[in-house]
Amino acid sequence: MAAELYRQQSVFRQWLQIGDEIVRARHGHSLLEAIYDPRRGPADTFDRLEITHPGVFLVQYALARLLLHLGVRPDAMFGVSLGEVVGMTAAGVASFEPVLISIAAEADIFQQSCRGGGMTAVLGPASLCDTLPDVEIAGINADRHCIIAGPSAGLAAAERNLAARGVPFQRLPVAYPFHSRWINPAEIIFSSPLNDRLRPPRWPCWSSCLAAPVDPGISGLAWRIVREPMRVQQTVRAIEAAGGAVYVDLSPSGTFAGILRQSIAHGSPSRVVPVLSPFGGCAARLSRAMELLAVAARSD
């Protein structure tokens, strides 16, 4: 979660500290103490929703603010699931503090209204999962990369089915079946500033929920982002059809860069640049990203 940048980059650190103070005042626990606990390792499970949801949002938002501070001016923001909320907040469609407060409250909302479950990444086409009972396709990232979601028993049964067919999969560190019908009970108490009329963004915001840029006049978008499937492949294809991009991956694990590469056609001029990794080297990746963006800016 970018510990190296937390030590070295004051702008990144300050935004994390601001967010930590907001969550601590509201909920009585520190995100930073949990995220940067020295007793934790990269392989340790990180699935406490009251920490992971605001923590992932905050790390990505702070990194976006750092890039803006360093002079990066994006042509557009593109996010997936919680990353959509990060992108829109960084683009100014809603204010940072109300959005963070709403995200930090989501753990209670889902615990009160939904039974547990999870999500699993499947290295295969979505057609492999179409007939699996008690799970739904929660997202399609590429031709051979999809996400399924379901209650615990149904997801375990689906994984046994996949294993019997020799299909690789990996359970994600998520305790609820987001992007599926099993979270429908939360809708009645779900709230977010992004459910209201949005302010015009400073930069276009591509939504993987809509597979299109966000219209400021849309309402109820926050719930749709949580509930509807993640249409990553469809969104990337639309961006590529519009001319492609230098995609700078701000996700804490850096794995989204790999997903993007699977969706970009061979021969595309687009480039994909991850910044963060659970295994360190973030400062060097940030430097490489800035160099590539400087070259891209000169070529434009």
Side-chain angles (χ1 to χ4, degrees):
M1 301 285 276
E4 187 177 2
L5 297 185
Y6 182 74
R7 292 191 298 269
Q8 297 178 4
Q9 295 287 347
S10 61
V11 171
F12 181 75
R13 182 171 59 253
Q14 287 166 3
W15 277 105
L16 290 183
Q17 291 171 341
I18 290 169
D20 186 64
E21 290 174 3
I22 292 169
V23 173
R24 189 195 296 262
R26 289 267 179 163
H27 299 281
H29 59 256
S30 169
L31 297 177
L32 292 181
E33 288 178 3
I35 292 172
Y36 296 128
D37 185 341
R39 297 168 295 181
R40 298 185 61 85
D44 291 342
T45 302
F46 190 55
D47 62 358
R48 289 174 52 203
L49 195 63
E50 67 272 21
I51 299 296
T52 59
H53 242 47
V56 168
F57 168 84
L58 190 54
V59 167
Q60 293 182 93
Y61 181 83
L63 183 54
R65 294 302 299 245
L66 172 59
L67 288 173
L68 293 171
H69 173 75
L70 294 174
V72 175
R73 292 297 177 265
D75 296 303
M77 299 288 194
F78 166 36
V80 179
S81 193
L82 187 56
E84 292 194 43
V85 180
V86 176
M88 286 189 284
T89 307
V93 301
S95 299
F96 167 73
E97 184 169 349
V99 171
L100 177 58
I101 289 171
S102 70
I103 290 171
E106 288 179 6
D108 287 340
I109 290 172
F110 289 105
Q111 287 166 4
Q112 291 173 27
S113 57
C114 301
R115 57 176 171 156
M119 304 174 71
T120 295
V122 180
L123 296 182
S127 58
L128 287 175
C129 307
D130 284 341
T131 59
L132 295 176
D134 297 323
V135 295
E136 289 183 358
I137 303 295
I140 297 178
N141 295 330
D143 287 338
R144 298 189 59 80
H145 195 295
C146 65
I147 307 293
I148 57 176
S152 299
L155 198 59
E159 290 173 344
R160 290 194 295 270
N161 184 300
L162 293 169
R165 290 186 282 168
V167 179
F169 62 86
Q170 183 174 7
R171 181 73 68 97
L172 303 179
V174 179
Y176 292 91
F178 297 111
H179 307 285
S180 76
R181 68 179 183 270
W182 288 282
I183 66 164
N184 284 348
E187 182 176 10
I188 193 170
I189 57 175
F190 186 87
S191 64
S192 167
L194 296 181
N195 271 341
D196 304 326
R197 185 175 179 86
L198 306 176
R199 295 196 295 258
R202 297 187 184 94
W203 309 282
C205 294
W206 282 80
S207 162
S208 62
C209 165
L210 307 175
V214 172
D215 182 342
I218 194 170
S219 62
L221 182 58
W223 174 250
R224 293 184 63 182
I225 289 171
V226 174
R227 169 62 182 88
E228 294 183 13
M230 300 170 284
R231 300 175 176 89
V232 176
Q233 184 181 54
Q234 186 179 349
T235 310
V236 173
R237 285 177 173 172
I239 295 173
E240 288 293 293
V246 176
Y247 300 91
V248 183
D249 177 13
L250 307 189
S251 64
S253 64
T255 55
F256 190 56
I259 292 171
L260 281 170
R261 292 187 183 104
Q262 294 179 54
S263 298
I264 296 173
H266 179 71
S268 168
S270 294
R271 298 285 301 275
V272 180
V273 187
V275 176
L276 304 184
S277 168
F279 304 104
C282 299
R285 287 186 181 86
L286 176 61
S287 295
R288 286 197 294 271
M290 294 301 297
E291 291 170 2
L292 179 59
L293 291 170
V295 171
R298 288 196 296 271
S299 65
D300 288 344

